[in-house]
Amino acid sequence: MTAFDDWRARSPFYDETHEALAQSVRRFVEREIAPHIDRWEAEGELPRALHKKAAEAGILGLRYPEQYGGHSEGFDNFHGLVLTEELAAVGAGGLGASLMTHGIGLPPILALGSEELKQRVAPPVLAGEKIIALGITEAGGGSDVANLKTTAVRDGDDYVVNGGKMFITSGMRADWLTCAVRTGGPGAGGISLLLIDMDAPGVERSRLDKMGWRCSDTAAIHFGDVRVPATNLIGPENGGFIGIMRNFNSERLGMAMGCCAYARVALAEAAEWAQNRETFGKPLVGHQSIRIKLADMERQIEATQAWVDLCAWQVKTGKDRPADFAMLKVQATRMLEAVAREAAQVLGGASYITGSKVERIYREVRVNAIGGGSEEIMLDLAGRQLFGGR
């Protein structure tokens, strides 16, 4: 059995700087996260203090502009993949989803927002003082982003927002919400992005209970005549759809990397169990059927990781295309589902008892296959982009 992170040493995309980052994040996880993750899972959210500690450790600001409090000099997107890998070590997907929620809430502001808005929002978020979330999905819309219903009507120096968002990661703790709203006519051309203060009058939030990602608070949010300053408009009015779409590609690459990381965690736990558990007078790994399972799990992980790294390289060199991210996400989530299942088979009854990482990862398979775009939507998107069709 190879070491948890040995794969990087055999890859042309990673060097000593990536390994140095891995060691730094690993120490942080062992010190600040691993001893508490089970309690946070039970409580249903992460403490706000963890964001401050992660900022001080350089985790929150990794690959964000220096002028806003980030750390971008000398870091590439493979450093981001390493960060995802190391945060996965505790086997709780809600950790990365919630602690790094600014990874989907902040980029639209940095890409499209005014300089005043960037200066007002980015520094406190990257310092761990404020939490920002992304509000796209609606109860009746799901992946049909172009037809979202939440409205924002201009009234003097404000927009008045009415409607709601569903399944919002960090929605209960968020100070700000980067929110997709309809400011114009039907379709993608009528969508804008607004930064909404979540303490504004008329904002109501309800906590959602979930089967997985339990330490990540998830909310249903309702807006009733919420007044938002027009200066909080992110980019041009009716020009928000492109900001949403460009966000999805990086989100899907990150989710695919997360699937590889959690699959490796599941494989590592299954392999350790197989080496120490005795059945019929010999270690479980002494049985051919178990060795075949472990090897097949490794095969699927390695193949998917190779595609993740290729897509990351294509982004880095400007050779990426959206269809690849859509197909990669499907490949990664199906791989994780297969690996988690086989890991559970190796652990047997132990995988059904709370306490193993495999048990938790198995419960979190579905959120990866649905969140960020369902398998069906992803494959249709790729099919239309590659082969044509309406």
Side-chain angles (χ1 to χ4, degrees):
M1 178 61 188
T2 58
F4 178 70
D5 61 340
D6 183 56
W7 62 273
R8 282 196 298 266
R10 296 177 286 107
S11 170
F13 298 109
Y14 302 87
D15 57 30
E16 63 276 4
T17 67
H18 299 96
E19 190 56 35
L21 174 66
Q23 295 297 329
S24 176
V25 177
R26 188 172 305 171
R27 288 191 294 270
F28 178 84
V29 170
E30 291 173 349
R31 182 180 69 251
E32 303 291 348
I33 295 174
H36 313 293
I37 191 64
D38 290 334
R39 175 165 55 84
W40 296 339
E41 281 277 295
E43 292 173 350
E45 65 179 39
L46 301 177
R48 294 183 70 96
L50 183 63
H51 290 257
K52 288 275 289 182
K53 292 178 180 178
E56 292 166 359
I59 290 174
L60 295 193
L62 186 70
R63 300 189 63 241
Y64 286 91
E66 310 279 347
Q67 66 263 40
Y68 305 121
H71 317 285
S72 56
E73 187 66 31
F75 294 105
D76 61 17
N77 52 350
F78 288 96
H79 289 94
L81 299 186
V82 168
L83 175 58
T84 298
E85 173 88 7
E86 294 301 327
L87 289 177
V90 293
L95 171 69
S98 197
L99 180 61
M100 307 302 290
T101 190
H102 67 294
I104 54 176
L106 190 57
I109 295 174
L110 295 178
L112 302 173
S114 66
E115 186 58 31
E116 183 277 330
L117 195 60
K118 295 176 187 178
Q119 292 287 355
R120 173 156 50 98
V121 174
V125 167
L126 296 179
E129 297 166 358
K130 295 284 188 178
I131 296 173
I132 190 169
L134 180 68
I136 305 294
T137 303
E138 298 182 353
S143 296
D144 192 6
V145 178
N147 290 310
L148 60 85
K149 307 299 182 186
T150 299
T151 60
V153 178
R154 186 69 182 260
D155 181 28
D157 293 333
D158 297 331
Y159 285 95
V160 180
V161 180
N162 284 281
K165 298 295 175 179
M166 182 61 74
F167 312 130
I168 305 305
T169 300
S170 295
M172 294 302 297
R173 297 178 307 135
D175 301 291
W176 288 311
L177 186 71
T178 299
C179 189
V181 295
R182 184 163 302 284
T183 50
I191 294 175
S192 299
L193 289 171
L194 276 180
L195 181 72
I196 299 179
D197 185 336
M198 294 297 282
D199 289 327
V203 176
E204 298 178 1
R205 338 184 203 192
S206 301
R207 184 181 298 273
L208 301 175
D209 197 13
K210 312 180 298 296
M211 113 165 94
W213 282 14
R214 298 192 68 85
C215 67
S216 171
D217 59 294
T218 305
I221 302 173
H222 175 74
F223 306 110
D225 291 329
V226 178
R227 301 193 75 87
V228 179
T231 53
N232 282 20
L233 181 67
I234 303 169
E237 187 173 270
N238 298 327
F241 191 75
I242 185 64
I244 298 171
M245 291 299 105
R246 69 188 296 172
N247 219 37
F248 278 150
N249 288 339
S250 61
E251 181 183 6
R252 288 162 187 163
L253 178 61
M255 290 187 73
M257 181 64 208
C259 287
C260 290
Y262 289 108
R264 266 189 287 272
V265 172
L267 174 57
E269 190 170 64
E272 182 179 11
W273 179 269
Q275 290 160 354
N276 295 315
R277 167 79 163 167
E278 287 199 4
T279 60
F280 304 101
K282 58 183 176 180
L284 199 58
V285 74
H287 298 280
Q288 183 185 46
S289 61
I290 300 300
R291 293 195 301 273
I292 289 173
K293 284 183 182 296
L294 295 173
D296 198 46
M297 293 156 70
E298 177 77 5
R299 173 190 64 81
Q300 294 183 66
I301 295 170
E302 290 284 347
T304 306
Q305 184 67 57
W307 197 0
V308 168
D309 287 345
L310 177 61
C311 283
W313 176 83
Q314 289 169 339
V315 170
K316 187 176 179 179
T317 56
K319 299 177 181 179
D320 53 305
R321 59 179 184 177
D324 290 328
F325 297 100
M327 293 185 294
L328 172 62
K329 181 179 179 295
V330 176
Q331 166 66 24
T333 57
R334 288 184 177 177
M335 176 277 294
L336 176 60
E337 185 166 12
V339 169
R341 181 194 185 280
E342 292 302 272
Q345 287 298 107
V346 173
L347 265 70
S351 72
Y352 204 67
I353 304 300
T354 301
S356 73
K357 294 177 182 178
V358 168
E359 181 270 336
R360 190 151 58 203
I361 291 169
Y362 202 6
R363 282 191 284 108
E364 296 179 347
V365 163
R366 294 263 50 84
V367 67
N368 289 283
I370 296 171
S374 69
E375 292 181 354
E376 294 79 8
I377 293 291
M378 292 297 90
L379 291 176
D380 182 55
L381 172 65
R384 284 185 283 116
Q385 291 180 346
L386 295 176
F387 309 111
R390 187 168 177 271

